[in-house]
Amino acid sequence: MSAPFVRVHDLSKTYGNPHQPLEVLRGVDLAIDPGEFIAIIGPSGIGKTTLLNMITAIDNPTGGEVFVGDTNVTRTPQNRLTKWRARNIGIVFQFFQLLPTISVVDNVIFPMDFARVHAPTERRSIALDLLDRLGILDQAEKTPDMLSGGQQQRAAIARALANHPPLIIGDEPTANLDRMSAQNVFDVFRDLAEQGAAVVVTTYDREIVRTVPTVYELHDGMLSLIRRDGSAVKERAGVAR
Amino acid sequence: MTRSTFRKILGDIWARKGRTALVAISIFIGVLGAVTLITAGDLLVRQLESDIQEDDLPMMQVFMTIPPSEDGVVPDDAALVEDVRDRFEGVTAVEGEANNPFFWRFSGEQRFREARLLSYTNPLGEQVLEPMRLVEGAYPAPGQQQLAVEQRMAEDFDLSVGDTIELRLLGQVTEGELPPVETWTLSGIVFHPYNDFSKLSMYAAAEDAPDITGIPGLTTLGLRFTEFELARGDKLGVQDWITDDTPYMAVFFMAEDPADNSLVRTTEQFAQILTALAVVAMLVSGFLVLNVVNNLVVEQRRQIGVMKSLGATRSEIGVIYAGIAVVYGLLGMVPGVLVGIPLGYQMAVIVGDFANTLIDSFAVSPLAIGLGVVLGLAVPIGSSIIPVYTGTRVTILEAMTDLGIAGNYRFGLLNRLITVLPLPLNIKQSLNSISQKKARLALTVTTLTLAVAAFMGVSAVFVRLNDVLNDILSAFEYQIIFTTTESQDYDTVRDLIASNVAGVAEIAPGSMAVLDLEGYVAPLSETSQIMVQGIDTTQGYEDVPISEGRAWLDDPTRSGIVLTNEITNQIEKHVGDTVTVRVGGKSLDVEIIGIMNYPFPVGIMPWRELAEFTGYTKGAPVPNRYFTALALDGYTGTLPDGQITAWGIDAQAAAFMPLDAGEGLQTGEPGVLLTQAAAENGDYAVGDMLTFSGADGPVTVPVVGIFAPPAQLAEAPVPPDLAVFFWEDLARLEGLSLTGEAVPNAFFILADQVDPSARDIDTLIEEINTTLVDRGITASYTNMVEIADQASQAILSIGIVLNVASGIMAAVGAIGLITTLSISVFERQKEIGVMRSVGARSPTIIVQFLVEGVLVGLVAWVIAVPLSYLLAWGLTEILPFGDFIEFEYPVVMLPLGLIGILVIATVSSIWPSVSAARKTVSDILRYQ
């Protein structure tokens, strides 16, 4: 068994002032293997995004540590995490967050130009290939406002895959999509996991996660494993595998 | 820069075309203004520096005339020049100039035109000071009926080498006949950069000039020394020597250090002002760019967060927004430079008239282009530094969790106050919007304030200039001043004109002189000299526009002087105080009886008083040349009827009288000297008392000496028997005035036409001149209306430049406000959508944004008022004629500025307001 690619150990996050603290995460432990497709569910505002922000090093925890690959992201300075993040994590946002004034293909090329993983002469062809894989090659030269919601999210996924990151994070990636589009997106994530990427998505939609092999629930600041590899399970919150 | 970055820059530019256009226009206007103004200034200064060579400039110029007492004397100017070289230490060059009016016309024309004829003590083309350059043809040869014409006059009148013109020969006037007219040929065209009358100047050989103008002698003597200190203040006494020992009388003196030529310095100052205004205009543009880039960065906060999450570093993101600023700069700079180059050249040509220089071929100012390019790029880039630096500091978390305006609403004191105000909801929203975005408010207000302050300040200076011009124009009512070549009796001249020339309402005698005023230092010449005009205070045609004192309103015959406020402010004198004036060794204490508002140092006195004081009199005995016949009791000599020839001499001559007997004449003691012949005829000896018949009865004086007349006297056409007195004693004996009768050296004409044009006055001058010349009287004329027009033109030229600069700033300020409001509309689309969805109609939304714009404008005006005061003061101090204009801030600028800013704010707010009102709910949802 390979070592987990993502390791979260005793993670906690508290907001607010000392008189009225709000503990969003309490001693969360999590391990994600390469090729694993994980969904974290919970109602809006429960802290799912906060957890993802800790993993992606967008935010700093109050306690605990997070390892992504060999990197302790909680102890690495932000300025060194910028390029590291570009090469190791692909983020898919709830509202797509495509840059509105450039074309879809340029949106996909954008992170390549910053990460410099691919040679400049290869970037465009890689981007078009990604768009083709996601079924929106014909939208490549259009600007995002000309695409449907589902197409925009596919473009966002293509962008997230641009540098072939080992970890893909989706924060409520289907919240603004219709049922069919949402299912399509989850199918894409599954395919990516089968290709070896670790994929973590958050959602409030319990219907859509039925097709996700491993599901955690975030509740009261703690993480509970609901299903692993397709089999339902209920373990004590915060216990690592 | 990567390809995607470049595309993002272009995409952002293209996506907000309206905003891009506004910013680009603002930068275009700023760069256009900078390149135009700097080009104009640079071309002017370079041309002047090329034309005016320091080594060719005189250090001292003495303006002189031949006084009435020397009428008929033809001075030996060549000897005068030699004398000056020998007499005064350190003289390295001397040049005499005769600059007098003459009359010419094209063949076949009826009417003569007045122009200036110049000639020099050195042959044309060989001037040692202020030389000219032959452009075409040849210099006129003496005696060949040839003239040269100045290039600018040739262009104005379309004159070419070989053309013939007709001249009136005023030097060949005989009474009762019109002066002859001769045809002369233009032998050459010259360029004379030192000539202030270049547009009306022709040149003749020195031998020919007096025949044409009727005026012998020189009008100016220019000197250059080994060092300027010898010229400063006329330490060597050149003026006094000219007045005392030559046929000339020194009227005015100027000393200027060639290393600090006032024309070049003035033009440089003007160019510096233009450059400063241009830079200010660019800086105002810069504030606009800062505002826009700041708004852009704020707008794209979430995008910045996304880009960071995609691996962009802060500097890589900074490059994107700096790149946007560069594109703004390029879009404005390139057309600004391209259009500014020819505009600047044109402005230089127009202003070149004012600077008496000629820019005849298209030229480019590398300085202006360089500055335009640098400013056009540096200002946007520099302006974007702070907003990009602060905007890119946002973390991914902050950017992704920013909820926009609604999330940042705070309940501060101001917001709570706004809540309780009894205002419509949309007005309260305007106030809240202004109060919330304080940084943006500060930037917008700063941009607008600078623009409004610059506009008001510059306009204030222009209004003040016009006030000063009105003061100048209203100070003196007469339209013509003329001075006759030889002194003329006023009654004769008046009657002649009155009976032969229609259109003349009044003719008044006058006097013009330059006096030293004790305690005063003139800004231009740094001497104590002021121009004093003598008027006929008894005639009452001229109301001197005084602001203090009564002058001659109550008593037209009173003695005194009216001074301009420029003088009295400097010497700290008031009405009732006494000042001392001096000329040629004489001094006079005179009471200040009035003060007038006039920007130049001028005094006004009764003309007779002035003429007597300055020695412009006729009939006074001239010492050593004073011969008369006196009756001597019991004498028989050469003259019949017991008369003897009497000779009046001065003390200097008396001291050198070769006496054979006696002690000679003693100052303060009565006495008479006799030649040996006179003593023998009367059998007189030293000590004898002789009785002469005087005007007031017999006068007895002792014989105090007997002398043998020197050889020169023996050869003179006087009898051998002479009685010699001090000239003052002899004059008193004869009952003559020691000073003679005052003679006007100027005549003032008031036309009866209301508000005549310069051309009308030219026609009147021609008629007067024809009448006078017909009677053998030649004169030089000054068309005061033309001078007023020229002054207006000069001030207008400056005013145009200032208004262009202020207009640029106002335009940039307006664009700034439009941009800010359009951004505000963009940001608050959700708010507008919500308002629409609950039933708000278009007028409600329009009013909300209009009020926001107008309020911002009002705040800017309040802050701009004191700034504009400071700017107006500063500009007045450094403008070329700032020394003569007392700073005043026209109160009218306050309401004018307020109206202006309200108009700008309203107009600037209309488009964004209407744009906001047009947005539908579906438009706004689509944005999501």
Side-chain angles (χ1 to χ4, degrees):
Chain A
M1 185 184 292
S2 59
F5 185 68
V6 178
R7 285 166 289 138
V8 177
H9 175 66
D10 197 25
L11 196 69
S12 60
K13 179 69 177 179
T14 304
Y15 291 111
N17 59 54
H19 303 294
Q20 279 186 313
L22 174 65
E23 211 171 0
V24 176
L25 298 174
R26 295 192 286 156
V28 170
D29 293 316
L30 180 64
I32 307 169
D33 289 329
E36 194 169 7
F37 182 11
I38 289 176
I40 300 173
I41 60 172
S44 291
I46 201 68
K48 302 188 296 296
T49 300
T50 302
L51 175 58
L52 289 186
N53 285 346
M54 300 298 144
I55 296 173
T56 56
I58 286 175
D59 197 0
N60 296 315
T62 312
E65 288 180 318
V66 176
F67 288 86
V68 178
D70 296 327
T71 305
N72 184 340
V73 301
T74 44
R75 292 195 196 285
T76 306
Q78 275 296 323
N79 59 340
R80 283 208 266 152
L81 284 174
T82 302
K83 296 300 180 189
W84 172 87
R85 189 185 296 113
R87 295 185 186 114
N88 290 278
I89 305 178
I91 304 174
V92 182
F93 297 99
Q94 177 180 353
F95 290 105
F96 327 134
Q97 306 297 356
L98 294 169
L99 300 180
T101 58
I102 55 177
S103 66
V104 169
V105 66
D106 281 328
N107 263 281
V108 178
I109 295 172
F110 212 83
M112 296 185 196
D113 287 340
F114 292 128
R116 299 188 189 95
V117 170
H118 309 293
T121 51
E122 296 174 351
R123 291 172 193 170
R124 185 174 172 84
S125 60
I126 294 171
L128 290 172
D129 184 53
L130 284 168
L131 292 173
D132 190 20
R133 283 169 59 189
L134 289 162
I136 52 169
L137 180 61
D138 54 338
Q139 310 297 321
E141 301 300 338
K142 294 181 183 175
T143 49
D145 61 313
M146 299 165 85
L147 273 59
S148 67
Q151 289 171 327
Q152 287 188 52
Q153 194 59 295
R154 286 167 184 264
I157 294 170
R159 183 180 65 183
L161 301 175
N163 293 316
H164 297 160
L167 175 63
I168 296 166
I169 301 286
D171 186 6
E172 307 259 9
T174 58
N176 292 297
L177 301 179
D178 58 86
R179 175 62 60 195
M180 183 176 290
S181 300
Q183 193 57 59
N184 288 338
V185 168
F186 266 69
D187 290 341
V188 170
F189 284 137
R190 190 176 308 106
D191 291 343
L192 292 171
E194 286 171 4
Q195 288 164 30
V199 180
V200 181
V201 298
T202 62
T203 184
Y204 62 84
D205 188 349
R206 290 176 182 272
E207 282 295 314
I208 199 115
V209 300
R210 285 184 183 175
T211 59
V212 179
T214 303
V215 178
Y216 286 86
E217 183 175 8
L218 186 61
H219 176 72
D220 201 21
M222 292 186 288
L223 209 58
S224 308
L225 182 62
I226 294 185
R227 180 167 66 248
R228 176 176 295 287
D229 296 331
S231 304
V233 111
K234 192 134 182 124
E235 291 187 6
R236 195 161 41 88
V239 175
R241 189 162 59 101
Chain B
M1 182 181 295
T2 64
R3 175 196 147 108
S4 56
T5 304
F6 183 67
R7 289 197 167 211
K8 166 125 174 74
I9 292 170
L10 292 184
D12 282 354
I13 294 278
W14 186 251
R16 303 305 302 272
K17 290 184 277 296
R19 181 193 306 179
T20 299
L22 285 173
V23 176
I25 288 171
S26 161
I27 295 173
F28 164 74
I29 292 173
V31 171
L32 175 67
V35 173
T36 301
L37 295 174
I38 297 173
T39 295
D42 188 37
L43 290 185
L44 281 170
V45 171
R46 282 197 286 147
Q47 185 68 49
L48 275 175
E49 285 174 346
S50 159
D51 291 342
I52 297 181
Q53 300 297 317
E54 185 184 321
D55 291 340
D56 292 336
L57 291 171
M59 293 178 179
M60 174 196 290
Q61 286 183 305
V62 181
F63 297 85
M64 50 202 199
T65 186
I66 297 177
S69 54
E70 303 287 348
D71 278 353
V73 172
V74 179
D76 184 348
D77 293 324
L80 171 74
V81 167
E82 283 304 313
D83 229 345
V84 168
R85 274 207 201 92
D86 295 336
R87 181 177 291 272
F88 297 101
E89 67 158 302
V91 172
T92 58
V94 183
E95 186 75 62
E97 177 188 272
N99 184 336
N100 292 301
F102 77 108
F103 296 88
W104 70 281
R105 69 184 179 193
F106 288 105
S107 303
E109 276 188 334
Q110 282 289 90
R111 192 178 153 264
F112 280 90
R113 296 183 179 76
E114 187 176 328
R116 311 293 297 190
L117 187 72
L118 286 83
S119 60
Y120 297 88
T121 46
N122 285 305
L124 290 176
E126 295 176 27
Q127 278 72 52
V128 295
L129 293 173
E130 297 187 334
M132 65 190 77
R133 183 175 86 232
L134 186 66
V135 175
E136 195 183 326
Y139 290 109
Q144 300 300 311
Q145 292 180 212
Q146 291 179 345
L147 295 176
V149 62
E150 217 282 341
Q151 184 173 357
R152 283 156 281 192
M153 181 176 180
E155 284 174 7
D156 275 1
F157 288 95
D158 196 23
L159 293 166
S160 308
V161 173
D163 284 353
T164 55
I165 57 174
E166 293 177 350
L167 308 184
R168 248 192 199 141
L169 298 183
L170 301 176
Q172 297 177 16
V173 166
T174 51
E175 190 168 330
E177 290 180 17
L178 282 171
V181 176
E182 263 187 14
T183 300
W184 286 53
T185 306
L186 298 178
S187 65
I189 297 176
V190 299
F191 177 66
H192 196 191
Y194 306 95
N195 182 357
D196 292 336
F197 299 97
S198 58
K199 288 191 157 218
L200 282 173
S201 289
M202 293 193 190
Y203 300 81
E207 297 86 339
D208 294 335
D211 262 354
I212 299 170
T213 63
I215 301 173
L218 304 172
T219 54
T220 315
L221 196 66
L223 292 86
R224 194 175 167 91
F225 299 84
T226 49
E227 54 173 342
F228 175 63
E229 277 310 305
L230 293 172
R232 194 194 296 275
D234 191 17
K235 293 191 182 67
L236 300 174
V238 175
Q239 290 182 93
D240 287 343
W241 174 76
I242 287 173
T243 300
D244 294 339
D245 292 334
T246 75
Y248 292 101
M249 180 171 76
V251 174
F252 185 66
F253 147 86
M254 260 176 54
E256 190 173 23
D257 188 350
D260 186 26
N261 177 261
S262 60
L263 183 59
V264 175
R265 179 165 39 94
T266 300
T267 306
E268 277 177 345
Q269 278 178 340
F270 189 59
Q272 285 163 4
I273 292 169
L274 297 184
T275 304
L277 288 175
V279 171
V280 168
M282 269 311 304
L283 289 177
V284 175
S285 289
F287 266 104
L288 172 65
V289 173
L290 190 154
N291 208 358
V292 167
V293 172
N294 184 63
N295 288 321
L296 186 66
V297 167
V298 167
E299 251 175 51
Q300 295 195 359
R301 196 173 155 92
R302 191 162 287 201
Q303 286 188 42
I304 292 173
V306 169
M307 285 191 281
K308 284 193 172 183
S309 74
L310 297 176
T313 61
R314 211 172 144 198
S315 56
E316 284 168 332
I317 296 172
V319 164
I320 292 173
Y321 294 100
I324 290 173
V326 167
V327 173
Y328 285 154
L330 283 170
L331 288 175
M333 181 269 288
V334 172
V337 168
L338 290 176
V339 177
I341 292 172
L343 266 187
Y345 164 72
Q346 280 305 318
M347 185 177 280
V349 169
I350 291 168
V351 181
D353 262 357
F354 165 66
N356 192 40
T357 189
L358 179 67
I359 301 177
D360 53 0
S361 60
F362 181 76
V364 164
S365 167
L367 172 68
I369 294 172
L371 271 175
V373 169
V374 167
L375 286 174
L377 292 176
V379 166
I381 293 172
S383 305
S384 66
I385 288 176
I386 292 175
V388 167
Y389 178 80
T390 55
T392 54
R393 284 172 63 190
V394 65
T395 64
I396 302 173
L397 183 67
E398 288 165 350
M400 305 307 288
T401 53
D402 180 12
L403 297 174
I405 285 181
N408 288 338
Y409 192 78
R410 293 194 175 89
F411 283 91
L413 176 63
L414 188 57
N415 299 121
R416 278 185 272 146
L417 176 64
I418 292 169
T419 306
V420 301
L421 287 173
L423 294 169
L425 182 61
N426 57 342
I427 306 297
K428 287 189 190 180
Q429 281 177 285
S430 299
L431 296 174
N432 279 329
S433 170
I434 293 171
S435 71
Q436 273 180 268
K437 292 290 182 177
K438 294 182 183 60
R440 181 189 305 168
L441 171 68
L443 282 173
T444 307
V445 167
T446 302
T447 307
L448 212 48
T449 299
L450 281 178
V452 172
F455 180 78
M456 285 173 65
V458 166
S459 299
V461 172
F462 185 61
V463 167
R464 180 75 187 115
L465 282 177
N466 274 302
D467 286 345
V468 167
L469 182 61
N470 285 332
D471 281 347
I472 294 172
L473 297 179
S474 63
F476 303 102
E477 289 182 340
Y478 46 80
Q479 293 96 2
I480 301 170
I481 304 176
F482 69 88
T483 53
T484 52
T485 309
E486 295 179 349
S487 57
Q488 301 291 335
D489 176 62
Y490 163 67
D491 292 331
T492 303
V493 171
R494 181 200 58 206
D495 293 342
L496 203 55
I497 294 174
S499 47
N500 291 285
V501 180
V504 172
E506 297 283 351
I507 309 156
S511 184
M512 312 268 278
V514 175
L515 306 181
D516 283 309
L517 177 61
E518 190 177 84
Y520 174 72
V521 178
L524 269 185
S525 65
E526 294 182 10
T527 66
S528 57
Q529 293 178 334
I530 64 169
M531 176 67 71
V532 178
Q533 196 174 88
I535 62 173
D536 188 352
T537 58
T538 64
Q539 203 167 52
Y541 85 94
E542 185 180 60
D543 273 340
V544 178
I546 52 170
S547 57
E548 272 182 62
R550 297 291 295 169
W552 297 280
L553 290 172
D554 302 325
D555 179 6
T557 63
R558 73 184 290 198
S559 177
I561 189 168
V562 169
L563 293 172
T564 55
N565 56 337
E566 195 274 338
I567 297 173
T568 54
N569 288 342
Q570 196 199 105
I571 61 175
E572 294 178 356
K573 294 278 188 181
H574 305 279
V575 170
D577 290 340
T578 300
V579 291
T580 303
V581 292
R582 291 195 174 84
V583 68
K586 294 182 286 182
S587 68
L588 178 70
D589 291 334
V590 61
E591 182 190 351
I592 300 175
I593 59 173
I595 295 175
M596 61 186 280
N597 282 336
Y598 195 74
F600 302 109
V602 168
I604 301 177
M605 290 177 66
W607 78 270
R608 285 187 199 277
E609 204 176 314
L610 181 63
E612 284 169 4
F613 176 57
T614 56
Y616 217 84
T617 58
K618 203 166 184 177
V622 178
N624 307 326
R625 285 188 269 169
Y626 177 17
F627 291 93
T628 186
L630 283 182
L632 173 58
D633 280 0
Y635 178 78
T636 305
T638 307
L639 295 182
D641 302 327
Q643 293 184 97
I644 186 170
T645 303
W647 182 28
I649 63 173
D650 58 20
Q652 197 173 11
F656 285 98
M657 205 57 74
L659 298 171
D660 292 331
E663 298 293 320
L665 293 172
Q666 305 297 324
T667 307
E669 291 178 15
V672 61
L673 298 177
L674 297 174
T675 56
Q676 280 176 343
E680 284 168 12
N681 286 347
D683 195 23
Y684 300 126
V686 170
D688 287 350
M689 301 299 290
L690 303 184
T691 302
F692 295 89
S693 298
D696 296 328
V699 175
T700 304
V701 291
V703 176
V704 296
I706 296 173
F707 69 100
Q712 304 93 310
L713 192 59
E715 289 166 8
V718 292
D721 49 331
L722 295 174
V724 183
F725 297 84
F726 277 129
W727 75 275
E728 295 97 332
D729 294 337
L730 185 55
R732 282 190 208 100
L733 200 62
E734 286 202 290
L736 296 179
S737 161
L738 293 182
T739 55
E741 287 296 312
V743 175
N745 69 358
F747 294 86
F748 303 137
I749 303 277
L750 182 70
D752 61 13
Q753 184 179 350
V754 175
D755 199 19
S757 66
R759 190 167 173 84
D760 293 333
I761 297 302
D762 263 346
T763 305
L764 189 57
I765 287 175
E766 168 66 9
E767 289 170 18
I768 294 171
N769 184 50
T770 303
T771 300
L772 293 180
V773 158
D774 194 27
R775 292 292 292 270
I777 301 173
T778 56
S780 63
Y781 299 82
T782 303
N783 184 335
M784 297 299 289
V785 175
E786 188 168 11
I787 287 179
D789 284 350
Q790 288 169 355
S792 303
Q793 200 62 34
I795 289 178
L796 263 175
S797 298
I798 294 174
I800 287 170
V801 170
L802 292 178
N803 278 314
V804 162
S806 71
I808 288 170
M809 290 175 217
V812 170
I815 290 170
L817 188 56
I818 293 174
T819 308
T820 301
L821 285 175
S822 67
I823 290 169
S824 181
V825 166
F826 181 80
E827 268 185 348
R828 290 156 60 194
Q829 290 189 87
K830 280 188 251 182
E831 186 182 325
I832 296 167
V834 168
M835 288 173 69
R836 277 275 195 226
S837 67
V838 298
R841 298 174 64 190
S842 296
T844 305
I845 296 173
I846 289 174
V847 165
Q848 179 174 336
F849 288 93
L850 259 180
V851 165
E852 193 174 325
V854 169
L855 280 174
V856 170
L858 278 174
V859 170
W861 175 78
V862 168
I863 303 170
V865 166
L867 285 180
S868 70
Y869 182 93
L870 287 172
L871 177 65
W873 173 81
L875 272 177
T876 306
E877 286 292 305
I878 59 178
L879 274 172
F881 34 77
D883 292 330
F884 299 111
I885 299 177
E886 198 178 328
F887 171 67
E888 268 181 36
Y889 187 87
V891 176
V892 70
M893 282 318 304
L894 297 179
L896 275 180
L898 179 60
I899 292 168
I901 191 59
L902 288 177
V903 168
I904 289 174
T906 306
V907 169
S908 303
S909 308
I910 284 177
W911 176 59
S913 307
V914 169
S915 163
R918 279 210 196 111
K919 293 196 183 297
T920 63
V921 178
S922 64
D923 285 340
I924 293 161
L925 283 178
R926 193 178 302 137
Y927 165 74
Q928 286 298 324

